[in-house]
Amino acid sequence: MKKVFYYLSSLLVLTGCSQENDFFSADRPADQAGFKFELTTSNTRTVTDDNFKTTFSEGDKVGLFVVSRKSGTDGTLAASGNYADNRQLTYTGGVWIIDREVTYPADGEELDFYAYYPYVENADPTNITYDASKSMCDLMMASTKSITNSIETVTLTFSHQLSLVDTRVSGGAASSAVLTGVKTAASFNLGKFGSDDVMTLNSDQTGDVTMEKCDLKHFRAYIPSQDAEGSKIEIRAEDSSQPYSPQNTVFAKGSAYQYNIVSTIQRLADLPNCYIVKPGESVTFPVLKAYDVWRKIPFINGGNLRNDGELGVALIWQDAQNLIPADGGLTLNKNTENPDQSTVTVKTNAGISGNALVSVTMGGDKVWSWHIWVTDFDPNKNTAEVDNNGDGIADYVFMDRNLGAITSDVTNPGSVGMYYQGGNNSPYPGFTNKFPTDGTAITDVTIYDIDNNPIKITTGDIWNDNQGQSMRRLLTNPGLFITSTGEPYSWITNNSAASFEYGPNFWTVEATGEKGVFDPSPEGWMVPAYKNNLSPWNLYLDGNTVLIDPTTIYPKGGRMKFNGTFGNCGNAMLFSGTMDGLKNFAFESSASWGQITNYSAGNALNVRCVKVQ
């Protein structure tokens, strides 16, 4: 149980989601006087269709109150002035350490121990206030009574005082989930633990609870036990929401309720711009994004389609001959009544790996393009967890190769993969039979059309500062590399003082850290953005190769410079998804060092994807 935050006026704690297992216990150190403690949890919750267990983690803190009484008499836990008030037990190295010892009672005296999790300073044990609308925790309590000076170990078995609502979403989008129509606040009297009077709802008024996001499309909330007829779970993404009505009307104390909801919400950014397909197999994907990018991003064309003409599909390029067969390689599965619900099927030839760029056309105009990554590679294998701030928690799960690479062997030119101008969804191919060298032109890279004829990437200088015009130009000519002659070296505007109308969210949504609409990664993956206000490669810098040695993990692909030539080819260079104006932060390494460089978006660098979390 980790990630704990406190609400100042009461016990309101947010704890991270984790599968829960057995209790921890350990012998106290030999030099520790007073009682020692063994903390356990009830093994299971009552749950609708799965078992949830509880485990304490290193650093967890428990609050402890002790009441003294004569044998055979009743003692009452008071707000303060007890035998021991709010002593802190911390789980450290397999042992529960108390901040101030609880001394043994006198002969004929007995002690009653009351405990709660998680610990908070200045807690009133007779009025522990909880409000799930402000923050949340898995509030647990325990007590054991009649402890005498003949007992060395005090055993405390904790039980859950709240109801757990666990929601997992499949299908479409779900950026958040909100539990509506529930009573959010309650007060708990630790002295009445074990009775029905331990909890009092603070009001009959209902409200909303924003559920904690545990993982991709997985949400949890802890709420007071109650009759909640009419409550709903709303899953939300962008401006859309979808309500779900639980079958149960009662949320019981210590019970977990798990819901599996199929989302019908379509978040534009969740429609990937890259599809992985094995050689000899096919992939089918929707064309909806080709419509919605134009309809939903106003600065591109005022919310209007480029051309509402006949729908079509075209191969822009392939970097290996016969990767996609000319006969039957591309199929438009057209929905005549609703063209935006049509799909495209791409068929590949067996035994050939590589990359291709496929566009949907409207009235002959190309309007959106997808990267087809033809490879036997399983992106979920050989991944690497990376902690960028040294707190022991993995912040990223990296692929073992660059986006578009056909091997992870960094001595092979096929490991370099694709190049991407900052914020652009469409890739540019590199050489497949050699590593690039400084000064080589992008137009020297050989690619092929659907009939296997050699073709080239074309270049053209940026025209002006009109961002919508630049975007339309690139969307309708995805084989074009827009060059620049001076800062900001951008493909989208030549105005260095320009404020993007949408640009900061191209690859990563700044406000939420979510995957952006133009992110070039496959489904479930994204360009790594900053976390903890730090670069994804923070701990690689200054020669620190403890986690990953850049010289053995990243191929030296250099960059496609803003002027259309390769440069820095002795270095590995990778874009992050975090932008600063017209620039993207990037990781750059040579033989023995690494640094973060803020490269203008007109440069094209390699990308190493991380899992969406």
Side-chain angles (χ1 to χ4, degrees), residues 374-439:
V374 186
T375 176
D376 285 318
F377 166 56
D378 180 351
N380 294 305
K381 292 185 177 180
N382 302 318
T383 57
E385 290 188 350
V386 171
D387 167 17
N388 78 332
N389 66 345
D391 65 358
I393 300 173
D395 297 294
Y396 307 92
V397 178
F398 274 85
M399 281 188 188
D400 77 344
R401 64 196 65 191
N402 290 350
L403 182 54
I406 58 174
T407 178
S408 61
D409 177 6
V410 298
T411 66
N412 186 324
S415 64
V416 172
M418 299 292 98
Y419 291 83
Y420 294 86
Q421 287 185 301
N424 186 6
N425 67 290
S426 293
Y428 295 101
F431 296 101
T432 56
N433 61 345
K434 62 180 180 180
F435 286 97
T437 54
D438 289 356

